[in-house]
Amino acid sequence: MTLTRRRYDEGCIAAAALDVVGDRWALLVVRELVLSPKRFQAIRGGLPGITAAVLSTRLRQLAEEGILTRHPTLGHYELTPRGHALRPVLLALAAWGARLPSHDPTLHVSPTALMLSMTIMIDADAATGRRTVAGFDLGAERFTSALDGAGQVLPVAAPAGPLQAQFVLGGTGNTLAMAVYGPHPLAELVAAGTIRLTGDPGAAQEFVDLFALPRGE
């Protein structure tokens, strides 16, 4: 069934793109699938403000536009090449939004949103020459994030089993965002029970010191 949608009816290229992904929640649904395929409830878990009905509608619309597909056997949703091409769009929006005075990092942060944010909030100069593999255990979602020596950090969804990393930080999207971007040392957050840390604490502190949110402009 093709769903009736409002469109801008303009020849503008940006308007054509917004006809496809401009509906509320559409880009955030894409965000949740950038690092790994997910089932319906896992997507919804990353978007606590969305209703099941709206998520179902967005998934159908995005599938109709060739942005995602549902695996016929496993039942999860995954991005197509057209969907993955939206990754730089999401990152550019995040970089722009981080500088807004209205940005409130205390609101819900999904695990995937945190991992993607780190790819743009890294101090590339300070990270150049460093090679570290960090682990992030967020319960239902687990990642490794590797410094590549060229000033970039590369998050990857981790398979089942022990995380292959020099250290592992555990918590929620919000508590680990506090660990990565907040002013408190990791040892203080661990002592308070805010996060968990296994492995090399010195390497972990050096790693999170490479990230910072910009001040609102």
Side-chain angles (χ1 to χ4, degrees):
M1 178 182 70
T2 301
L3 300 173
T4 301
R5 302 171 61 186
R6 292 184 177 181
R7 295 185 179 274
Y8 290 101
D9 294 325
E10 289 191 13
C12 168
I13 299 172
L18 290 172
D19 282 343
V20 176
V21 294
D23 286 325
R24 190 179 185 209
W25 298 108
L27 276 176
L28 298 186
V29 171
V30 173
R31 179 199 71 196
E32 287 301 301
L33 296 173
V34 165
L35 295 181
S36 65
K38 292 180 183 176
R39 292 179 176 272
F40 184 94
Q41 289 300 334
I43 299 171
R44 193 177 178 193
L47 303 168
I50 199 170
T51 65
V54 170
L55 178 55
S56 294
T57 298
R58 292 294 173 265
L59 289 169
R60 288 196 297 269
Q61 290 172 335
L62 292 169
E64 287 177 357
E65 297 290 354
I67 291 172
L68 58 77
T69 185
R70 187 172 186 266
H71 194 287
T73 304
L74 300 178
H76 62 229
Y77 295 88
E78 56 191 359
L79 295 181
T80 64
R82 179 179 292 179
H84 278 293
L86 286 166
R87 179 171 179 157
V89 176
L90 284 163
L91 295 180
L93 279 172
W96 183 78
R99 290 173 168 79
L100 292 176
S102 58
H103 172 236
D104 184 354
T106 66
L107 297 177
H108 173 77
V109 177
S110 81
T112 299
L114 171 62
M115 302 310 298
L116 290 176
S117 76
M118 293 168 63
T119 68
I120 53 174
M121 294 304 159
I122 189 170
D123 183 338
D125 291 337
T128 297
R130 299 191 185 190
R131 292 186 179 275
T132 303
V133 179
F136 289 83
D137 184 348
L138 298 106
E141 296 188 63
R142 300 157 73 246
F143 304 89
T144 57
S145 194
L147 295 174
D148 67 355
Q152 296 183 319
V153 64
L154 307 174
V156 178
L163 286 166
Q164 301 301 310
Q166 291 171 255
F167 59 86
V168 177
L169 294 170
T172 66
N174 282 81
T175 60
L176 290 181
M178 187 187 308
V180 172
Y181 296 121
H184 302 290
L186 294 180
E188 184 176 320
L189 296 175
V190 171
T194 304
I195 64 168
R196 303 179 303 278
L197 171 60
T198 58
D200 186 338
Q205 187 63 58
E206 289 179 2
F207 179 83
V208 299
D209 286 344
L210 296 172
F211 303 91
L213 292 175
R215 294 181 178 181
E217 298 175 358

